[in-house]
């Protein structure tokens, strides 16, 4: 069959992910639900639903070299650190954090925070979250293993002596 250079080949490859659908992981302090994965998007996009219980830390100050991260606050008040500044992000807030921008996030309130995280490209981020699940459920948490996981998935802590997402 001769290739058709003039017409688009249309296919339905859409994914419709309903509320409460997606692969879910409960870490020691947060829960993550995969909504759009690297596999679904040919590694172009990752969309994840994050739930932070009261006083939980999502991530301490870090940056990415090869991906941008977007935060959409859906419920509660998220405390975001971007470089040396802290911001209180209320529902409806969208924060776009391009690569090489130091950032971290946490819940400093007594109410649950729900947000959507978007990574582009996704850099197979699901592997990071699965490794995080394994690493943060170990007692004690091994900082070398944590750093190795971080670095493999394009995350670089600003302070390796204070990178584990726990409160002192």
């Amino acid at each position: 069959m001769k290739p058709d250079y003039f017409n688009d080949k249309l296919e339905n490859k859409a994914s419709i992910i309903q509320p409460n659908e997606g692969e879910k992981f409960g870490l020691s302090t947060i829960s993550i639900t995969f909504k759009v994965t690297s596999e679904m998007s040919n590694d172009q996009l990752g969309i994840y639903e994050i739930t932070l219980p009261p006083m939980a830390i999502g991530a301490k100050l870090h940056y990415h070299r090869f991906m941008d991260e977007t935060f959409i606050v859906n419920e509660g008040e998220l405390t975001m650190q971007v470089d040396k500044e802290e911001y209180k992000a209320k529902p409806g807030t969208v924060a776009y954090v391009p690569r090489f921008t130091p950032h971290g996030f946490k819940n400093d309130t007594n109410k649950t925070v729900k947000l959507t995280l978007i990574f582009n490209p996704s850099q197979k981020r699901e592997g990071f979250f699965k490794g995080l699940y394994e690493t943060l459920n170990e007692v004690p948490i091994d900082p070398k293993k944590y750093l190795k996981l971080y670095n493999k998935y394009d995350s670089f802590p600003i302070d390796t002596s204070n990178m584990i997402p726990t409160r002192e």
Side-chain angles (χ1 to χ4, degrees):
M1 180 197 278
K2 182 179 170 188
D4 182 349
Y5 301 108
F6 303 96
N7 296 296
D8 293 328
K9 180 182 177 192
L10 302 180
E11 298 178 77
N12 181 355
K13 292 188 175 183
S15 298
I16 309 298
I17 300 92
Q18 299 290 342
N20 301 314
E21 288 185 347
E23 188 175 359
K24 189 172 188 171
F25 288 86
L27 303 176
S28 58
T29 57
I30 67 175
S31 72
I32 301 161
T33 304
F34 299 170
K35 294 298 190 174
V36 175
T37 64
S38 299
E39 184 179 341
M40 292 163 69
S41 71
N42 195 29
D43 210 26
Q44 296 303 300
L45 185 68
I47 301 177
Y48 312 97
E49 193 172 85
I50 309 293
T51 302
L52 293 171
M55 305 309 290
I57 295 176
K60 294 207 175 168
L61 204 59
H62 66 286
Y63 67 95
H64 309 288
R65 292 178 176 158
F66 302 105
M67 62 185 168
D68 301 333
E69 190 170 359
T70 302
F71 296 76
I72 302 170
V73 180
N74 303 315
E75 182 181 308
E77 182 180 89
L78 182 69
T79 300
M80 294 192 64
Q81 183 178 356
V82 181
D83 201 15
K84 294 173 177 54
E85 299 288 324
E86 257 193 17
Y87 301 90
K88 301 295 183 187
K90 297 186 181 321
T93 300
V94 175
Y96 171 67
V97 182
R99 54 202 80 182
F100 294 104
T101 302
H103 63 284
F105 63 101
K106 60 188 174 179
N107 180 357
D108 283 336
T109 73
N110 291 321
K111 294 184 178 178
T112 297
V113 171
K114 291 185 180 181
L115 64 142
T116 302
L117 272 184
I118 302 170
F119 290 93
N120 63 294
S122 54
Q123 301 280 301
K124 301 186 181 1
R125 201 71 183 159
E126 301 80 29
F128 171 77
F129 289 129
K130 289 176 181 180
L132 202 58
Y133 177 79
E134 179 182 314
T135 305
L136 293 180
N137 281 314
E138 294 174 352
V139 178
I141 296 169
D142 180 350
K144 288 180 183 171
K145 185 176 180 181
Y146 185 84
L147 182 59
K148 186 174 184 177
L149 174 74
Y150 241 59
N151 291 165
K152 179 179 178 183
Y153 290 98
D154 191 36
S155 292
F156 301 90
I158 299 302
D159 179 1
T160 55
S161 69
N162 183 24
M163 63 183 172
I164 307 295
T166 57
R167 292 190 185 262
E168 287 73 39

